[in-house]
Amino acid sequence: MARIITLTVNPAIDKSTTVAGIGPNTKLRCTQPTFDAGGGGINVSRAIKKLGGTSLCSYFSGGPSGAYLKQLLDEKDIEQSITPIKGFTRENLAVTDTSTNQQYRFGMPGPPIQEAEWQNALKQLELQLNKGDYLVASGKLPPNIPDDFYVKISRIAENKEALFILDTSGEALIKAAKSRVYMLKPNLAELGALCGVTSITDLDLKSLAQEFLENNDCQILVVSLGPKGALLVTKNEMVQVPAPVVHQKSTIGAGDSMVAGMVMSLIWGKSLVDMVRYGVACGTAATMHHGTQLCIKEDADKLYEWIKQQAPILETN
Ligand SMILES: Nc1ncnc2c1ncn2[C@@H]1O[C@H](COP(=O)(O)OP(=O)(O)OP(=O)(O)O)[C@@H](O)[C@H]1O
Ligand SMILES: [Mg+2]
């Protein structure tokens, strides 16, 4: 059976807390923080677990924070493949101001990765990946890793006949999008960067998405649109899936929960439209809770039923 392997090149310990009012030059007394394993692929693995699936979670890790990261993932019973690094795994901070319900997210760059370290990760992946597996890479690249790291990953997936799913941004995305990718999940800004435009409106979204698919070796493009849901584009279909309105508490990990929902749908054999519906359901479910909890399956299943009842906005290319 096809396995899911997630890859996180820049993992983190995500620390979340709340405070009543944020201002300068005063001591901000926060509540007890919660700690979660974080970083793109790790979030995808955590969300997959919450949806009842399993994955091999592959990541770089170093120092005491790296050891704590392993402990957090062990507690969630997530199978791991760790590439050790000299640098210390980064720690991020999210603070919610309870007086305004606004959340402040402080992200750190992550330790530099040495060449021998990222080469090791490529070798490990080559050994682990089998034909038909889903390889999900999510997250920005940390300092020192070459911009074409995901291109190298794509080549390994291609050689192994595995299906490469990518969710990243910046130069790493622009380079990797030119290689073979089974499914790409950019948000609007990321699609803009891919298409070389500064912003995308409803007027040009569909034509830009279509043009991208025509010019690149990508089978499925899912453009996530935040509260507006997502757009599925393949060579044969274009479908917009709306997102339900919910009480939004934190958008941390919405994109990763969405990717988890989509890859699980592929494992379950759902159609591509239902895959995006479940992805949107999981992304929206992730926004219903504070902190870094990601999606809860019961919420996602309820939202999925709501989405299925909406008339699909279908366009055939
Ligand atoms: N405010 C919201 N209300 C409802 N659903 C939302 C909201 N924000 C995000 N979502 C859901 O999560 C999915 C992914 O969100 P978004 O498009 O913001 O991804 P992203 O920019 O990649 O997010 P991330 O910051 O996690 O990388 C959306 O398609 C939608 O289903
Ligand atoms: Mg994202």
Side-chain angles (χ1 to χ4, degrees):
M1 193 182 135
R3 267 202 321 174
I4 305 169
I5 299 183
T6 66
L7 176 67
T8 314
V9 283
N10 202 6
I13 302 280
D14 283 330
K15 189 193 260 193
S16 307
T17 187
T18 65
V19 69
I22 290 185
N25 306 322
T26 173
K27 214 170 236 179
L28 302 172
R29 298 203 181 274
C30 301
T31 53
Q32 278 294 350
T34 58
F35 297 89
D36 267 310
I42 286 179
N43 284 339
V44 175
S45 273
R46 285 177 48 219
I48 284 173
K49 188 81 192 179
K50 296 181 85 171
L51 297 173
T54 56
S55 64
L56 174 64
C57 180
S58 168
Y59 62 93
F60 293 99
S61 163
S65 45
Y68 186 39
L69 180 61
K70 179 177 182 305
Q71 187 189 319
L72 288 169
L73 288 167
D74 282 341
E75 283 166 12
K76 306 256 182 233
D77 196 23
I78 290 174
E79 193 190 346
Q80 299 157 62
S81 167
I82 299 169
T83 304
I85 55 167
K86 279 210 194 86
F88 287 12
T89 297
R90 69 189 168 131
E91 293 176 56
N92 292 333
L93 177 67
V95 184
T96 300
D97 179 348
T98 50
S99 65
T100 59
N101 212 22
Q102 299 276 10
Q103 188 183 52
Y104 298 81
R105 292 163 69 175
F106 302 91
M108 311 301 154
I113 312 286
Q114 311 304 319
E115 176 164 356
E117 295 168 345
W118 60 256
Q119 293 278 15
N120 275 342
L122 295 180
K123 277 183 218 145
Q124 268 189 47
L125 202 60
E126 196 131 23
L127 294 173
Q128 288 158 344
L129 214 52
N130 290 308
K131 183 176 173 174
D133 285 347
Y134 293 98
L135 174 60
V136 185
S138 173
K140 286 202 176 102
L141 296 180
N144 261 32
I145 275 201
D147 280 349
D148 68 349
F149 185 71
Y150 287 137
V151 176
K152 298 178 198 304
I153 298 287
S154 153
R155 286 201 197 108
I156 294 175
E158 190 174 351
N159 288 340
K160 293 281 176 171
E161 296 181 58
L163 300 156
F164 182 37
I165 298 174
L166 181 64
D167 180 5
T168 187
S169 55
E171 207 43 42
L173 171 64
I174 291 171
K175 290 232 162 82
K178 296 194 178 90
S179 62
R180 173 170 292 187
V181 184
Y182 176 63
M183 180 160 72
L184 205 58
K185 195 225 68 74
N187 59 24
L188 263 192
E190 289 155 357
L191 181 68
L194 282 176
C195 300
V197 298
T198 44
S199 72
I200 296 184
T201 67
D202 280 339
L203 299 181
D204 49 17
L205 166 62
K206 290 177 180 170
S207 56
L208 284 172
Q210 218 163 6
E211 193 181 309
F212 172 81
L213 269 197
E214 278 160 18
N215 296 320
N216 292 280
D217 191 2
C218 170
Q219 280 192 45
I220 307 164
L221 181 67
V222 179
V223 186
S224 66
L225 307 169
K228 289 177 76 180
L231 179 72
L232 162 72
V233 193
T234 67
K235 298 240 154 69
N236 317 309
E237 60 191 331
M238 182 170 306
V239 181
Q240 191 158 347
V241 174
V245 174
V246 296
H247 286 293
Q248 184 195 306
K249 295 206 172 127
S250 157
T251 56
I252 293 184
D256 292 325
S257 293
M258 177 185 204
V259 171
M262 292 199 294
V263 70
M264 282 311 295
S265 300
L266 291 170
I267 291 277
W268 291 326
K270 283 185 195 280
S271 70
L272 291 186
V273 176
D274 282 344
M275 170 195 83
V276 177
R277 286 181 171 137
Y278 200 63
V280 167
C282 290
T284 303
T287 70
M288 292 166 63
H289 299 279
H290 281 300
T292 47
Q293 293 180 52
L294 305 173
C295 57
I296 292 175
K297 189 167 187 301
E298 287 69 33
D299 296 333
D301 289 347
K302 265 189 224 153
L303 294 171
Y304 177 63
E305 289 309 318
W306 181 90
I307 293 168
K308 277 212 305 194
Q309 283 161 18
Q310 309 309 303
I313 306 170
L314 288 172
E315 279 176 38
T316 306
N317 295 350

